[in-house]
Amino acid sequence: MAESNQSLWGGQERSSWIRLRTLILLRWVAIFGQITAITVAQHSYHVQLEVTLCYLAIGVSVIGNLTASFLFPQNKRLTEFQNFLMVLFDLFQLAILLYLTGGLNNPFALLLLGPVTISANVMSTRSTLIVGAVAIALATLLAEFHLPLRTEIGLVLQIPDILLFGNWAAIIIAIVFIGAYSHRVSSEARSMSEALAATHMALAREQKLTDLGGVVAAAAHELGTPLATIKLASSELIEELDDRPELKEDAALIREQADRCRDILRDMGRAGKDDLHLRQAPLSTVVHEAAEPHIDRGKTVHFAEGPVLDGDVQQPSILRKPEIIHGLRNLIQNAVDFSRANVWVEAEWTSDKITVCIMDDGRGYPSHLIGRIGDPLMRRRRAETDQRARPEYEGMGLGLFIAKTLLERSGADLEFANGSDPYQHLSDKPDRRGAIVKVEWPRKRIDAQQGDTPVPSGRNQPIQV
């Protein structure tokens, strides 16, 4: 997945998710709350305020809302820069109101957190840092510069300096903590959403290939009879047109083209995985199919399969799920990419489990990241080291996330380790010191004979021409 542009001025996709109407509605709520607070303070508690200036500040927000409502359609989505300006506008408007109503002596000073939280959730890190810095600066200024709150008899409402400092410190800490927390959580949620979308795309692609192969196989089967009829009729014409060589050549051409159609359909059926009407295949066949695109990439891929413990000598026939094939393919690709020269793919089975273990002779996983393998976009690879290992590859952990998600969807449990770890007991195999991925299924989840999913048996009839 390509890295998102984090420029402040570029217009982020994630900030473009927010409609202008949403921000307008939120601003109407804020305007209503500000008018209510001023009205209650003035009439119920008889607090003396600069009412004209307060309503002027609120009026600016009203004018801005009305202008935006008339100039732009309701489904208008703001760019990153437009969102940034909207949030800054709200922040300054709130700061002006607080300046007119006691600064940090006003308990509503806590609302300075609102624009920062919105920025942290929908905008880039750079925009959030700017909004947060502006909010901190405004809170600091409001602690020193503001119009005092006065009662009806002229008494100044002011909290002690130590509490004023406490309010200031609390607001600053809240801005930093809540802003960072919200930005981190929303970033991880977006990363997970994007990774899941990529996973569904990968699975859909594999499913389409499978379905396409089935269509090809069905077409080849159905066209077999008319092609055989064409060939038979053209052969009879050839025998009857010995005295008319020009027509005999045309009949021979028809038979030749019928043979060509047969060969094309046969090749297409083979490219479409030969027997895609069948939803099962031997375990070794599925493993080889998953590894096929990466066998001729300059590395040696070793295959081994066999029973362990109480497993039958005959290998199990498993369901050919796209999740399994694509997931194993991603794991094998990762091993081939980072191996030095060799990759080992071992398939084993017992009476109740099926296991595929993928090992390589590369550097292995960084020990401090083993517990986080499979998280989407968990890190950016360093260009100098990884471009040598994977030329022209831009990755952020998404491939392993897709593989892990797809395989877990099929019922598998995955374990990631390094062959150099002592508990792997590979001292007798010193060449297998790289990364290890162990994929284990309960046999009943994918075994075509033990599973609950009905699987058609038999093979498609070959084309007889």
Side-chain angles (χ1 to χ4, degrees), residues 224-237:
T225 299
L227 285 175
T229 302
I230 293 173
K231 181 176 181 180
L232 179 61
S234 59
S235 298
E236 292 179 353
L237 286 174

Side-chain angles (χ1 to χ4, degrees), residues 206-207 209-211 213 269-276 278-295 301 303 305 318-330 332-333 345:
E206 189 68 26
Q207 187 64 55
L209 291 176
T210 300
D211 294 341
R270 187 177 300 114
K273 302 173 186 174
D274 286 329
D275 221 5
L276 288 169
L278 300 182
R279 298 303 180 184
Q280 68 182 57
L283 175 61
S284 60
T285 301
V286 175
V287 172
H288 280 73
E289 181 180 340
E292 183 179 2
H294 308 292
I295 291 179
V301 182
F303 295 94
E305 57 269 341
I318 68 172
L319 300 177
R320 295 185 63 262
K321 294 183 176 181
E323 298 98 317
I324 297 176
I325 296 173
H326 196 85
L328 291 177
R329 182 170 297 161
N330 274 15
I332 294 172
Q333 175 186 0
V345 182

Side-chain angles (χ1 to χ4, degrees), residues 149-303:
L149 289 173
R150 297 181 184 274
T151 64
E152 190 176 18
I153 60 176
L155 181 64
V156 176
L157 298 177
Q158 185 171 358
I159 62 177
D161 289 343
I162 187 171
L163 292 180
L164 184 65
F165 175 78
N167 278 353
W168 174 83
I171 291 174
I172 300 305
I173 293 173
I175 288 173
V176 174
F177 175 76
I178 294 179
Y181 179 82
S182 299
H183 188 67
R184 178 68 176 176
V185 170
S186 62
S187 295
E188 290 194 2
R190 283 191 297 268
S191 297
M192 181 64 70
S193 176
E194 293 170 1
L196 286 174
T199 301
H200 288 307
M201 290 176 61
L203 182 58
R205 178 180 178 275
E206 189 68 26
Q207 187 64 55
K208 286 181 179 179
L209 291 176
T210 300
D211 294 341
L212 179 61
V215 171
V216 171
H221 176 69
E222 295 298 329
L223 290 175
T225 299
L227 285 175
T229 302
I230 293 173
K231 181 176 181 180
L232 179 61
S234 59
S235 298
E236 292 179 353
L237 286 174
I238 291 175
E239 294 176 358
E240 296 177 1
L241 294 174
D242 288 334
D243 56 339
R244 303 183 67 180
E246 67 282 357
L247 295 179
K248 183 178 181 180
E249 291 179 2
D250 293 338
L253 179 61
I254 293 174
R255 184 174 66 176
E256 178 185 342
Q257 295 303 309
D259 290 337
R260 185 182 177 191
C261 289
R262 176 199 61 191
D263 295 338
I264 291 174
L265 288 173
R266 182 178 299 167
D267 292 341
M268 290 175 65
R270 187 177 300 114
K273 302 173 186 174
D274 286 329
D275 221 5
L276 288 169
H277 281 316
L278 300 182
R279 298 303 180 184
Q280 68 182 57
L283 175 61
S284 60
T285 301
V286 175
V287 172
H288 280 73
E289 181 180 340
E292 183 179 2
H294 308 292
I295 291 179
D296 300 323
R297 292 181 52 199
K299 310 289 179 66
T300 303
V301 182
H302 308 269
F303 295 94

